[in-house]
Amino acid sequence: MRLSRLTLDRLPEGVRKPDYDPACVTIGIVHLGVGAFHRAHQAVFTEAILGGDPSWGISGVSLRSPETRDALQPQDGLYTLKIQDGEGEQLQVIGSVVELLCAPEDPEAVLRRMADPATRIVSLTITEKGYCHNPATGTLDEAHPDIVHDLNNPRQPRSATGFIVEALARRATAGIAPFTLLSCDNLPGNGHVLKRVVKRFAELRDPALTSLVRSVASPSTMVDRIVPATTDSDRDAIATALGLDDAWPVMTEPFQQWVIENDFPLGRPAWEKAGAVFVEDVAVFEMMKLRLLNGSHSTLAYLGYLAGAETVAEAMALPGMEELVEGLMREEATPTLPPLQGFDLAAYRADLLQRFRNPRLRHRTWQIAMDGSQKLPQRLLGTIRDRLKAGAGYERLALGVAAWMRYARGLDEHGQPIDVRDPHAARIAELVRDIAEPERIVDAYLTMRDVFGADLATSAPFRLALVKALTRLVEEGSTATLRAYAR
Ligand code: CS2
């Protein structure tokens, strides 16, 4: 028997379930990219306020595959959230995603929903690459195949940007005010990046749309919750605990954080009741999270993977890893952060180490290693840029970047192929093909100005730091390189 509205009353004692009638919920939010992260974060904050205001239900849109729709539609959108750490676990059935759409199958249904007057917010978790932008400059990549396609077929878009502009145009024609855009991806100034790519796309599509897009609110947000991909054994454990099958439960940690700029012309859910924090300017929070959490995460992932660690917790247990990550955060990244009044950064860093050690989350290093070309600019390279300007050291950050270079080449330390997932995987393979010397590998990567920016790509000291780190990784291996950091 499957989890659904009909079987909700069969849930065992102790499993939290909606405190409102899911059948009374109407849609106020269209979410693009209804993956596990959205369902463990924004959908959970929304779940907490639906009892007070059922007009904020979520229409969850997949921009690529039908998998989420196929899993959740037969369950009326319901799914289980499992929150776990060393201290225990908690199960909650979430009902805030009340509709599931698959954009490639029916783009018209998505556009209709986005253009509906009841839709007041369009939120996004489409990952870094979903913005079709140049990661070093944050501007639209006008040659991106999806952008080219959408400019040629504006009424049948593929990209998030294409959907947003077409929906805004339809609303304007119908006299409906624009929705608020809410980017929830790990990009600095995510609201600005989104607005910039949407504006440029509108200009290219039809200059008459430019002023329409200019007036759209696009607050920036900082989102945080660690959400490993669900495995079949997670599904089995949920089925046993629930006595009902759930095709796509979501696994996460107790920690959750959401900092949002308060700019919602058509209104918004009272997410603060669920712990979200509304601020004037989210930039410092984003920088803190990207440079400390995500910068460490990527470093852990590449070095950990190369040293044979399958999960973040395993990587944290490698001799030297915790010291490396702690030093990277405290000595190299923290001094680049603007002051955060009343915020205890030392406690924040200690919490991060604790979260990375969470023994119950099987967060694969391979998962975090994905899309390095899109992630490194805001996670490590911006920090390095600031350290260079300040004339300060960045040895650990450079090791993180060098580990990516070693990883993304596609061969592990035993010469076995790595399944590298990155929009530029083929380009990287081509760049480094048949090259073995660290120096030449570094030079090949540094031709990627869309990743490194013109400044880092031509910085002699940066190049030297990378060559040094990569040489060590190649000659001694990741395990031995890490050991040097062990106290
Ligand atoms: C991770 C993030 O996959 C990754 O690249 O670094 O998804 C990380 O788990 C989240 O940003 C935590 O909020």
Side-chain angles (χ1 to χ4, degrees):
M1 202 176 289
R2 186 97 169 247
L3 175 66
S4 74
R5 284 185 194 166
L6 279 177
T7 55
L8 265 182
D9 57 0
R10 290 173 177 262
L11 287 172
E13 225 24 47
V15 176
R16 280 180 70 190
K17 51 186 173 183
D19 57 3
Y20 53 88
D21 178 1
C24 296
V25 173
T26 56
I27 292 169
I29 301 173
V30 173
H31 184 81
L32 306 180
V34 61
F37 182 73
H38 170 69
R39 294 194 283 125
H41 191 274
Q42 304 99 60
V44 180
F45 283 85
T46 301
E47 176 75 0
I49 60 88
L50 283 177
D53 184 353
S55 76
W56 288 110
I58 301 169
S59 170
V61 179
S62 299
L63 290 172
R64 305 253 169 256
S65 89
E67 284 178 350
T68 308
R69 193 266 327 267
D70 291 349
L72 297 189
Q73 194 154 284
Q75 301 178 186
D76 305 312
L78 297 170
Y79 60 91
T80 318
L81 182 74
K82 183 173 183 174
I83 303 168
Q84 53 190 343
D85 64 5
E87 323 242 288
E89 66 175 54
Q90 207 190 315
L91 298 177
Q92 181 178 6
V93 169
I94 307 289
S96 55
V97 181
V98 291
E99 174 177 78
L100 288 134
L101 300 174
C102 172
E105 276 178 24
D106 194 353
E108 194 49 41
V110 177
L111 288 166
R112 235 182 290 124
R113 184 54 83 191
M114 292 172 81
D116 190 296
T119 297
R120 285 153 287 161
I121 295 175
V122 170
S123 54
L124 304 91
T125 48
I126 54 177
T127 78
E128 297 85 348
K129 62 179 177 282
Y131 290 78
C132 304
H133 72 313
N134 173 323
T137 61
T139 53
L140 183 69
D141 174 3
E142 296 174 22
H144 192 290
D146 289 352
I147 297 301
V148 173
H149 171 274
D150 289 1
L151 287 170
N152 290 323
N153 306 274
R155 269 158 274 287
Q156 290 209 307
R158 274 184 197 156
S159 71
T161 306
F163 274 101
I164 289 168
V165 173
E166 173 62 10
L168 287 170
R170 290 189 186 192
R171 288 173 81 102
T173 309
I176 306 164
F179 39 66
T180 299
L181 288 171
L182 188 61
S183 166
C184 301
D185 282 294
N186 284 317
L187 291 168
N190 48 16
H192 299 286
V193 174
L194 178 60
K195 179 95 176 245
R196 197 179 307 127
V197 297
V198 165
K199 209 163 122 243
R200 181 65 188 145
F201 180 89
E203 263 164 29
L204 293 170
R205 187 185 139 173
D206 176 0
L209 293 172
T210 319
S211 64
L212 166 68
V213 169
R214 201 171 295 128
S215 67
V216 176
S218 184
S220 287
T221 60
M222 182 267 255
V223 293
D224 190 7
R225 195 165 213 186
I226 292 176
V227 188
T230 305
T231 64
D232 284 338
S233 84
D234 294 328
R235 286 187 180 85
D236 292 345
I238 292 290
T240 308
L242 254 47
L244 294 169
D245 286 332
D246 178 348
W248 211 329
V250 179
M251 308 295 123
T252 194
E253 60 175 343
F255 184 92
Q256 55 176 347
Q257 192 177 19
W258 198 6
V259 188
I260 314 172
E261 288 173 359
N262 203 359
D263 182 13
F264 293 80
L266 299 188
R268 60 165 176 83
W271 284 315
E272 65 278 13
K273 291 193 177 148
V277 177
F278 286 88
V279 297
E280 276 291 303
D281 183 358
V282 91
V284 285
F285 292 97
E286 266 179 327
M287 206 175 183
M288 170 190 82
K289 192 246 167 177
L290 282 165
R291 291 188 173 189
L292 297 181
L293 189 158
N294 298 108
S296 300
H297 239 185
S298 290
T299 303
L300 259 166
Y302 297 119
L303 288 167
Y305 185 99
L306 292 170
E310 204 191 327
T311 66
V312 171
E314 280 169 39
M316 281 292 279
L318 293 168
M321 182 67 95
E322 187 158 336
E323 290 80 356
L324 171 83
V325 170
E326 197 275 330
L328 181 152
M329 292 200 282
R330 183 173 44 80
E331 273 185 36
E332 300 184 7
T334 301
T336 70
L337 300 176
L340 262 163
Q341 298 282 313
F343 198 88
D344 185 349
L345 276 172
Y348 181 76
R349 290 192 301 262
D351 280 352
L352 285 179
L353 294 173
Q354 172 82 21
R355 290 169 65 197
F356 294 157
R357 281 188 228 111
N358 187 330
R360 297 289 305 279
L361 290 185
R362 291 195 54 80
H363 199 188
R364 293 178 67 197
T365 48
W366 177 81
Q367 185 186 346
I368 300 166
M370 267 185 229
D371 295 345
S373 69
Q374 312 294 301
K375 290 173 174 171
L376 261 46
Q378 56 277 5
R379 296 182 174 204
L380 296 172
L381 301 176
T383 324
I384 291 178
R385 196 168 274 125
D386 287 350
R387 296 290 285 173
L388 267 167
K389 274 190 214 133
Y394 52 90
E395 186 200 337
R396 303 173 184 91
L397 296 159
L399 180 61
V401 179
W404 169 65
M405 292 179 162
R406 176 100 168 104
Y407 174 93
R409 249 186 111 214
L411 287 180
D412 72 12
E413 293 184 350
H414 310 287
Q416 295 303 309
I418 302 176
D419 179 6
V420 178
R421 302 284 173 94
D422 191 297
H424 291 306
R427 179 177 162 209
I428 293 170
E430 186 58 36
L431 278 174
V432 299
R433 202 166 45 162
D434 304 328
I435 309 185
E437 309 82 60
E439 211 167 332
R440 291 187 54 213
I441 294 176
V442 168
D443 287 335
Y445 273 102
L446 288 179
T447 62
M448 302 178 78
R449 295 205 174 189
D450 49 330
V451 174
F452 293 97
D455 57 345
L456 288 183
T458 54
S459 158
F462 177 55
R463 174 179 178 276
L464 211 65
L466 290 176
V467 170
K468 195 171 150 215
L470 188 61
T471 304
R472 185 161 189 189
L473 276 179
V474 169
E475 285 176 0
E476 297 172 24
S478 183
T479 309
T481 303
L482 279 167
R483 262 187 202 284
Y485 291 87
R487 274 192 203 104

